[in-house]
Amino acid sequence: MIRLLLVDDEPAVLAALRRSLRLAFDDSALQIETCGDPFAALERVCVCEFDIVLSDFMMPRLTGGALLQALKEVAPDTVRLMLSGSTEFSTAMSAINEAGVLRFIPKPWQAAELEEALRLAMARRAELLAERAERQRRAAEAAAGLSPQEREAARLEREEPGILHVRRAPDGSIIL
């Protein structure tokens, strides 16, 4: 299940986003939380892990760009999406470059565009989790002090289970 946090200071926008996403995705595929305050959203992200955060750009006290930039530091594997009524190119570029936003979705959004952005974010999240698992595996191997040959044998065994186990007949021939 994908955990999604929606952040916007307008309750009506949060309700409309939730409705759009409920129509596009099965309840078992998407768990949605909403937050009307960017500081509360940042606190929530520090407490539990979200797969995707979709934030409005223009909010009081803290912009969505600043929120997503802070989120990049706190939860780098969380995919960040930006929603904005602003059509300024510089707004979109700053969000993408500084906060590492995957997609910039204009308000009012099109349901198909919102769904496509979420599907891309889900795919990116899967990639980020796979990269994290690979980093952890490499760190564990390095901590275990495995030789290059042992690391290669472990990699081969992961990719093709049983490849290193050779069955032999009594005369020494290989049994296929």
Side-chain angles (χ1 to χ4, degrees):
M1 175 178 289
I2 298 293
R3 293 196 57 172
L4 170 66
L5 179 62
L6 302 174
V7 185
D8 197 308
D9 60 315
E10 298 178 42
V13 171
L14 289 174
L17 278 169
R18 184 185 286 271
R19 270 192 313 275
S20 276
L21 294 170
R22 287 289 174 221
L23 291 173
F25 295 94
D26 188 338
D27 284 343
S28 64
L30 196 62
Q31 179 184 353
I32 301 173
E33 279 190 45
T34 60
C35 195
D37 177 44
F39 287 107
L42 194 53
E43 287 176 13
R44 184 70 180 136
V45 168
C46 290
V47 172
C48 67
E49 186 172 0
F50 286 90
D51 298 300
I52 303 167
V53 173
L54 172 60
S55 176
D56 183 27
F57 183 74
M58 295 302 292
M59 292 185 287
R61 298 182 1 177
L62 184 68
T63 67
L67 167 66
L68 294 178
Q69 194 167 1
L71 182 66
K72 182 179 177 182
E73 300 298 320
V74 174
D77 292 336
T78 297
V79 178
R80 296 166 298 281
L81 301 172
M82 178 72 68
L83 182 69
S84 180
S86 173
T87 57
E88 289 184 27
F89 183 72
S90 61
T91 301
M93 288 309 296
S94 69
I96 291 167
N97 293 333
E98 294 170 16
V101 171
L102 179 68
R103 287 287 165 154
F104 186 86
I105 305 162
K107 282 184 184 177
W109 63 88
Q110 298 296 315
E113 185 179 357
L114 181 63
E115 181 181 351
E116 178 188 350
L118 249 320
R119 292 196 188 283
L120 286 170
M122 290 173 181
R124 180 64 183 139
R125 174 65 175 181
E127 291 170 5
L128 290 170
L129 291 177
E131 290 169 7
R132 182 197 310 174
E134 180 64 18
R135 284 191 309 271
Q136 290 171 341
R137 185 191 61 75
R138 286 184 184 171
E141 285 178 354
L146 296 177
S147 70
Q149 293 82 4
E150 291 168 324
R151 282 196 299 273
E152 181 64 14
R155 183 189 66 79
L156 287 171
E157 192 61 38
R158 274 192 314 278
E159 290 177 7
E160 297 289 336
I163 194 168
L164 299 177
H165 302 287
V166 179
R167 294 184 5 203
R168 296 192 179 269
D171 65 356
S173 61
I174 297 173
I175 301 172
L176 297 176

